[in-house]
């Protein structure tokens, strides 16, 4: 019903009933219907009022009935609760006796179990005493373990005399068995040279030692290992000729032979989990480290780099051999877990995953750490020779490239990769011996020769800068373009890899020394080389464009009678761009971001120079201005397409590049449109300048008037109008911008 809607509109409702004048003839019927409806509504209201009156009485009656029902329900619930409490009390009385029986049963069971354990303990102690007297280690070992397990059940009852006496007897048995086991091995050591040892008895004795305290096994192993290495300390005593570094191989040959003999003759005596072979090797490493350290300190004047590297190489080879043959478990017990860096696929040698999980590393070779300065000085000499070789090879290659006699593709110089591979080799070798000050000194050495490489290999071989002031600017040959791009990509590789080298050195050096590793200056040097290369490439293309721009200023633009195709200077500029840019783009394919910088820097300098050349084109007639406007549009199109010109893959130029071209060339177009504008009346001309030019000033307006060929007397009134319009123009521009 439209009358019941919340948005009821009287006028719309009446217009709906009487849409036309002819419909007014039914007004009586409509009035009759409305009156009938009013009557029905009155009746409905009366009925609703009557029902509401009776509803209050009925509601009061219903509320009273509900209250009675609630009281009755409460009484029933209370009755049920009382019965439940009575039932619970009955259950407690019934189960009281059952709980007492369960407790009695549990106590009885515990008493029987304890009695049985006591009987077993007494019997076991007695049997163990007999086995100990007879030195029957095989049976005694397993029985001792059982006795100790049973003894744990009586740890709470040691205050009882019987239990305390048994505990004392067990401790006495352990002491006696410890003495017997150690004595058995001492007897075996003394008779080892005669070959008279009982392997079975010794193996059973090891089983007993396993059950006894760990100190027993530790003492037994210490004595055994000391016995095995006693000969070594005599043969390689510091006064012996064989002890010096030039015969260091004999030390490692001796321990290899000892370990082989041990495995063949005595290996079956000890349990495998004791790792006896490894413990002998580790103790040998500790002794050797100490002896070599003392010996080198006394004879340090006799060490040269050749001898030092020989000893280091043989020692690290031996440490690697131990890592392959032994588990290293005895060393990992106290070592921190190693964390593996994620694998990264890259040509960068410092991003490769280095698998260095040798637990034996530096066990012996750490004794050479105080003398690594000899190694680092030697590496300095090697790097100096390497840089000189790189310099000579690259200089010869550069001469051929500059002369275009050698077709070489641009890319990272092989010498650069060789240099960083050599760095990595030195770093890994040094890190195996020390992660302290020698690593910091090696980093300083790397830093020095990175600067040497940047200076002697890269910067010094760049082609000489072109001169844009010469009558005929010097251009780079195609070989020189390739050379410049190759130096740029090499500097980029050095910049990236130097950062990785810095991070890798910080990972390997001690945390307290990591702050001393800083390659910021070296990375800045390579960034400077990159900037120089880009500037050189930009200057080359600018030099090519300079003669056409100069030719543009020499054209008599007032004599142009009709607008034709683009002018010859535009064709020349386009030709130079098409010859140079694709070559640079191809040579910088691996360093695309620098090609983008090259394009941006070129247009950022070319467009202002083009506008400056436009100012020199004076006077300009109307037709000449139209021709220049056409030329400007053609150059704008060429510049917008410059990054992908002659490219098989068409890429949209970066937004930053497009913005520079559009803004700069639009400024040139607006300048020519102002030149085409009639200078009379002055107010209209000034208004056009305000509208078309970006932030015009008096100097710009005067240059435009000179381009139009106006005399000084004709310029004066226009400049006066402009000066009078500057404040209002500035205000209007500000409001518009905001």
């Amino acid at each position: 019903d439209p009358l019941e809607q919340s948005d009821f509109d009287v006028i719309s409702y009446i217009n709906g009933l009487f849409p036309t004048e002819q419909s007014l003839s039914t007004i009586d019927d409509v009035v009759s219907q409305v009156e009938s409806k009013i009557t029905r509504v009155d009746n409905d209201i009366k009925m609703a009022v009557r029902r509401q009156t009776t509803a209050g009485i009925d509601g009061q009656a219903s509320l009273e009935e509900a209250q009675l029902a609630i009281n009755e329900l409460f009484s029933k619930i209370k009755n049920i609760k009382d019965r439940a409490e009575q039932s619970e009390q009955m259950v407690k009385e019934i189960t009281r006796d059952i709980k007492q029986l369960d407790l009695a049963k549990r106590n009885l069971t515990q008493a029987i179990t304890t009695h049985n354990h006591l009987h077993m303990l007494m019997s076991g102690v007695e049997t163990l005493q007999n086995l100990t007297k007879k030195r029957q280690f095989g049976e005694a070992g397993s029985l001792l373990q059982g006795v100790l397990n049973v003894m744990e059940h009586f740890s709470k009852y040691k205050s009882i005399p019987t239990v305390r006496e048994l505990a004392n007897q067990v401790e006495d048995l352990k002491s006696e068995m410890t003495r017997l086991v150690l004595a058995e091995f001492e007897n075996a050591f003394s008779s080892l040279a005669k070959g008279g040892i009982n392997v079975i008895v010794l193996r059973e004795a090891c089983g007993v030692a396993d059950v006894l305290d760990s100190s027993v096994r530790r003492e037994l192993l210490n004595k055994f290992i000391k016995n095995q290495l006693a000969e070594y300390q005599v043969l390689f005593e510091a006064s012996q000729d064989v002890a010096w570094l030039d015969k260091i191989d004999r030390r490692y040959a001796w321990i290899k032979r000892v370990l082989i003999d041990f495995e063949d003759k005595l290996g079956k005596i000890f349990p495998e989990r004791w790792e006896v072979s490894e413990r002998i090797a580790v103790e040998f490493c500790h002794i050797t480290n100490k002896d070599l350290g003392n010996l080198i300190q006394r004879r340090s004047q006799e060490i040269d780099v050749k001898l030092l590297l020989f000893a280091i190489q043989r020692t690290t080879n031996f440490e690697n051999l131990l890592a392959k043959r032994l588990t290293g478990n005895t060393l990992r017990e106290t070592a921190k877990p190693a964390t593996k860096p994620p694998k990264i696929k890259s040509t960068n040698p410092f991003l490769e995953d280095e698998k260095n999980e040798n637990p034996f590393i530096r066990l012996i070779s750490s004794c050479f750490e105080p003398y690594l300065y000899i190694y680092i000085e030697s590496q300095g000499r090697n790097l100096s020779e390497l840089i000189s070789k790189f310099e000579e090879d690259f200089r010869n290659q550069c001469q051929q490239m500059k002369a275009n006699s050698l077709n070489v593709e641009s890319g990272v110089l092989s010498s650069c990769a060789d240099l960083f591979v050599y760095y990595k080799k030195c770093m890994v070798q040094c890190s195996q011996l020390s992660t302290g000050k020698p690593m910091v000194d090696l980093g300083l050495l790397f830093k020095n020769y990175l600067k040497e490489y940047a200076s002697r290999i890269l910067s010094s071989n760049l082609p000489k800068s072109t001169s844009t002031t010469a009558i005929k600017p010097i251009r780079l040959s195609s070989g020189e373009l390739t050379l410049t791009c190759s130096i740029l990509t090499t500097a980029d590789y050095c910049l990236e890899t130097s950062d990785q080298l810095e991070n890798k050195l910080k990972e390997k050096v001690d945390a307290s020394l990591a702050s001393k590793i800083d390659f910021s200056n070296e990375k800045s040097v390579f960034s400077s080389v990159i900037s120089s290369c880009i500037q050189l490439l930009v200057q080359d293309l600018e030099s090519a464009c300079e003669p056409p721009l100069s030719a543009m200023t020499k054209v008599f633009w007032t004599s142009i009678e009709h607008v034709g195709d683009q002018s010859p200077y535009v064709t020349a500029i386009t030709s130079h761009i098409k010859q140079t840019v694709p070559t640079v783009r191809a040579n910088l394919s691996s360093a695309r971001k620098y090609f983008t910088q090259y394009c941006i820097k070129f247009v950022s300098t070319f467009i202002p120079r083009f506008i400056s050349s436009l100012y020199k084109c004076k006077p300009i007639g109307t037709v000449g201005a139209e021709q220049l406007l056409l030329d400007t549009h053609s150059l704008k199109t060429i510049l917008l397409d410059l990054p992908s010109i002659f490219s098989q893959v068409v890429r949209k130029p970066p937004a930053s590049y497009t913005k520079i071209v559009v803004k700069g060339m639009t400024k040139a177009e607006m300048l020519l449109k102002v030149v085409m504008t009639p200078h009379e009346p002055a107010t209209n001309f000034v208004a056009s300048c305000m509208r078309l030019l970006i932030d015009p000033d008096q100097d710009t307006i005067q240059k435009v008037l000179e381009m139009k060929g106006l005399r000084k007397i004709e310029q004066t009134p226009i400049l006066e109008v402009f000066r009078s319009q500057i404040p209002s123009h500035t205000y209007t521009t500000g409001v518009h911008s905001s």
Side-chain angles (χ1 to χ4, degrees):
D1 189 347
L3 295 174
E4 297 178 0
Q5 301 301 319
S6 59
D7 58 348
F8 174 71
D9 186 0
V10 176
I11 296 175
S12 299
Y13 181 70
I14 294 174
N15 288 336
L17 293 176
F18 307 105
T20 62
E21 292 182 3
Q22 290 78 7
S23 62
L24 292 175
S25 60
T26 62
I27 191 169
D28 292 335
D29 295 337
V30 172
V31 170
S32 177
Q33 291 175 1
V34 172
E35 289 175 348
S36 298
K37 189 164 187 177
I38 291 172
T39 302
R40 288 198 302 272
V41 172
D42 286 341
N43 292 333
D44 291 342
I45 292 173
K46 291 177 182 178
M47 292 297 295
V49 171
R50 292 193 185 102
R51 283 197 297 269
Q52 187 63 30
T53 302
T54 58
I57 299 172
D58 294 341
Q60 184 65 30
S62 299
L63 178 60
E64 293 175 354
E65 290 179 1
Q67 290 176 342
L68 292 174
I70 290 172
N71 292 332
E72 184 179 355
L73 180 62
F74 180 76
S75 299
K76 290 181 178 179
I77 292 173
K78 187 175 182 304
N79 188 24
I80 292 172
K81 182 179 179 183
D82 293 340
R83 291 183 179 180
E85 291 177 352
Q86 293 175 2
S87 299
E88 183 180 359
Q89 187 63 30
M90 291 175 63
V91 170
K92 287 182 179 179
E93 293 176 356
I94 293 172
T95 57
R96 184 181 298 118
D97 295 338
I98 297 175
K99 289 182 179 179
Q100 291 178 351
L101 291 174
D102 287 341
L103 181 60
K105 179 181 178 182
R106 186 163 56 251
N107 292 337
L108 181 59
T109 302
Q110 186 175 1
I112 294 173
T113 303
T114 303
H115 182 270
N116 290 335
H117 284 162
L118 182 60
H119 177 72
M120 291 169 57
L121 182 60
M122 296 175 66
S123 175
V125 169
E126 183 179 355
T127 305
L128 193 58
Q129 288 174 340
N130 295 329
L131 293 175
T132 302
K133 292 178 181 179
K134 298 178 181 179
R135 296 195 178 192
Q136 296 179 357
F137 296 120
E139 297 178 13
S142 58
L143 182 58
L144 177 61
Q145 183 64 61
V147 168
L148 294 177
N149 292 337
V150 174
M151 196 66 206
E152 291 180 1
H153 294 284
F154 292 94
S155 59
K156 300 178 182 179
Y157 309 110
K158 288 187 177 180
S159 58
I160 300 175
T162 303
V163 175
R164 184 168 60 250
E165 183 180 353
L166 286 172
N168 292 335
Q169 291 179 7
V170 171
E171 290 299 323
D172 293 341
L173 281 172
K174 288 172 64 178
S175 300
E176 178 64 15
M177 296 183 76
T178 298
R179 186 187 65 79
L180 292 176
V181 167
L182 294 177
E184 192 68 39
F185 271 90
E186 287 180 1
N187 294 334
F189 297 157
S190 60
S191 60
L192 184 60
K194 303 176 183 179
I197 62 171
N198 191 328
V199 175
I200 297 177
V201 172
L202 292 178
R203 184 166 61 245
E204 292 176 350
C206 288
V208 174
D210 246 352
V211 179
L212 296 170
D213 294 337
S214 58
S215 59
V216 177
R217 184 183 64 178
R218 189 161 51 248
E219 182 180 357
L220 188 154
L221 287 175
N222 288 341
K223 289 183 177 180
F224 177 77
I225 293 171
K226 183 178 180 181
N227 177 274
Q228 291 290 299
L229 297 177
E231 180 186 358
Y232 171 71
Q233 292 180 290
V234 173
L235 292 176
F236 294 91
E237 197 270 332
S239 60
Q240 300 296 324
D241 180 63
V242 74
W244 188 229
L245 298 182
D246 59 344
K247 298 180 179 62
I248 198 170
D249 277 343
R250 298 188 183 182
R251 293 176 179 267
Y252 307 134
W254 183 89
I255 189 61
K256 291 176 188 176
R257 185 172 62 254
V258 167
L259 290 176
I260 292 173
D261 290 344
F262 165 76
E263 292 291 345
D264 290 342
K265 299 177 181 178
L266 306 176
K268 295 181 180 180
I269 294 177
F270 303 95
E272 290 185 7
R273 61 182 178 277
W274 284 21
E275 306 275 5
V276 179
S277 294
E278 180 173 317
R279 294 180 187 276
I280 294 173
V282 170
E283 183 61 22
F284 167 83
C285 291
H286 291 322
I287 294 173
T288 304
N289 179 286
K290 181 179 179 181
D291 291 350
L292 284 177
N294 295 333
L295 182 62
I296 294 173
Q297 186 177 9
R298 289 199 300 270
R299 302 175 61 177
S300 59
Q301 300 299 325
E302 303 176 33
I303 301 177
D304 58 15
V305 67
K306 185 177 180 181
L307 179 61
L308 180 65
L309 289 178
F310 169 79
I312 290 174
Q313 185 64 43
R314 293 297 189 271
T315 301
T316 54
N317 288 345
F318 175 70
E319 290 172 344
N320 291 329
L321 177 64
L322 292 181
K324 292 178 181 179
R325 299 293 179 87
L326 304 174
T327 63
N329 292 333
T330 60
L331 295 172
R332 291 193 181 96
E333 292 174 357
T334 56
K336 295 181 179 179
T339 56
K340 297 181 180 180
K343 288 186 178 181
I344 303 175
K345 293 184 179 180
S346 172
T347 58
N348 189 324
F350 302 104
L351 291 179
E352 296 175 3
D353 182 22
E354 298 176 7
K355 296 182 178 179
N356 188 8
E357 300 178 2
N358 183 358
F360 294 89
I361 191 169
R362 291 204 293 272
L363 273 185
I364 301 176
S365 55
S366 61
C367 68
F368 301 113
E369 181 174 348
Y371 310 96
L372 287 181
Y373 69 90
I374 301 174
Y375 166 78
I376 293 174
E377 290 173 355
S378 171
Q379 295 306 320
R381 293 189 292 271
N382 293 341
L383 283 170
S384 179
E385 295 174 1
L386 195 63
I387 293 294
S388 298
K389 178 179 179 298
F390 290 161
E391 184 180 20
E392 181 180 357
D393 293 345
F394 189 49
R395 185 180 295 113
N396 295 334
Q397 185 179 359
C398 288
Q399 292 175 355
Q400 295 176 318
M401 293 173 70
K402 291 177 181 178
N404 287 328
S405 61
L406 182 63
N407 184 19
V408 179
E409 293 184 0
S410 172
V412 177
L413 299 178
S414 59
S415 61
C416 173
D418 293 342
L419 178 66
F420 281 104
V421 169
Y422 188 83
Y423 280 172
K424 180 185 178 182
K425 177 183 176 183
C426 295
M427 182 181 65
V428 172
Q429 193 173 35
C430 185
S431 67
Q432 292 177 344
L433 305 174
S434 171
T435 57
K437 186 177 180 297
M439 282 292 286
V440 177
D441 295 339
L442 189 65
L444 293 174
L445 184 70
F446 290 166
K447 285 159 59 73
N448 292 336
Y449 282 97
L450 282 176
K451 289 181 180 178
E452 286 282 310
Y453 187 86
S455 172
R456 294 169 58 182
I457 309 297
L458 302 181
S459 296
S460 63
N461 287 296
L462 278 174
K464 300 300 180 182
S465 300
T466 58
S467 174
T468 56
T469 59
I471 297 175
K472 187 176 181 181
I474 301 174
R475 292 292 314 281
L476 297 178
S477 65
S478 60
E480 289 174 326
L481 280 177
T482 301
L483 170 63
T484 304
C485 293
S486 181
I487 291 175
L488 190 154
T489 53
T490 301
D492 178 49
Y493 178 86
C494 290
L495 177 62
E496 178 184 353
T497 314
S498 295
D499 187 61
Q500 298 300 331
L501 171 60
E502 178 184 4
N503 293 335
K504 189 60 68 175
L505 281 170
K506 286 182 177 180
E507 289 179 11
K508 290 188 173 295
V509 78
D510 293 339
S512 60
L513 299 174
S515 60
K516 296 186 177 181
I517 306 294
D518 184 10
F519 281 59
S520 300
N521 294 335
E522 290 66 34
K523 289 184 283 188
S524 297
V525 170
F526 289 116
S527 296
S528 299
V529 174
I530 293 171
S531 298
S532 299
C533 292
I534 294 175
Q535 186 62 33
L536 190 60
L537 295 172
V538 170
Q539 287 180 359
D540 174 66
L541 188 52
E542 287 178 355
S543 299
C545 297
E546 188 62 27
L549 290 178
S550 179
M552 178 184 75
T553 62
K554 297 177 181 179
V555 175
F556 294 100
W557 293 103
T558 54
S559 63
I560 303 295
E561 297 180 353
H562 61 274
V563 178
D565 294 334
Q566 65 184 28
S567 300
Y569 76 89
V570 177
T571 303
I573 291 174
T574 302
S575 176
H576 290 309
I577 289 175
K578 290 182 178 180
Q579 289 176 1
T580 305
V581 173
T583 302
V584 174
R585 182 180 59 239
N587 287 328
L588 295 182
S589 58
S590 61
R592 184 76 186 181
K593 60 182 178 181
Y594 296 117
F595 174 70
T596 301
Q597 291 183 23
Y598 162 75
C599 295
I600 290 176
K601 286 192 175 184
F602 169 70
V603 296
S604 297
T605 55
F606 172 78
I607 293 176
R609 187 165 296 186
F610 172 70
I611 293 175
S612 177
S613 298
L614 283 179
Y615 285 133
K616 297 177 183 179
C617 297
K618 52 186 179 182
I620 302 175
T622 302
V623 179
E626 292 178 353
Q627 180 63 50
L628 282 171
L629 187 61
L630 174 65
D631 295 342
T632 302
H633 181 73
S634 298
L635 279 176
K636 181 179 179 180
T637 303
I638 289 296
L639 293 178
L640 286 174
D641 190 46
L642 182 143
S644 59
I645 195 168
F646 283 170
S647 175
Q648 296 180 351
V649 180
V650 179
R651 296 181 180 177
K652 186 177 180 180
S656 57
Y657 173 83
T658 303
K659 182 178 180 181
I660 294 173
V661 174
V662 171
K663 182 178 180 180
M665 296 307 289
T666 300
K667 180 179 179 180
E669 291 173 340
M670 294 301 103
L671 180 66
L672 292 170
K673 288 183 179 181
V674 171
V675 172
M676 295 167 58
T677 303
H679 64 278
E680 291 180 345
T683 54
N684 291 347
F685 178 76
V686 171
S688 297
C689 291
M690 299 292 191
R691 185 178 69 258
L692 297 175
L693 299 179
I694 301 174
D695 296 330
D697 54 20
Q698 182 172 331
D699 184 58
T700 303
I701 299 300
Q702 189 166 359
K703 288 180 180 179
V704 170
L705 296 176
E706 291 174 355
M707 292 171 70
K708 291 175 71 65
L710 299 181
R711 295 171 298 171
K712 292 289 184 182
I713 193 171
E714 294 175 305
Q715 295 179 14
T716 301
I718 297 175
L719 292 174
E720 290 178 354
V721 173
F722 174 74
R723 284 193 292 268
S724 67
Q725 293 292 326
I726 287 178
S728 62
H729 174 66
T730 304
Y731 174 76
T732 305
T733 302
V735 172
H736 178 71
S737 299
S738 62

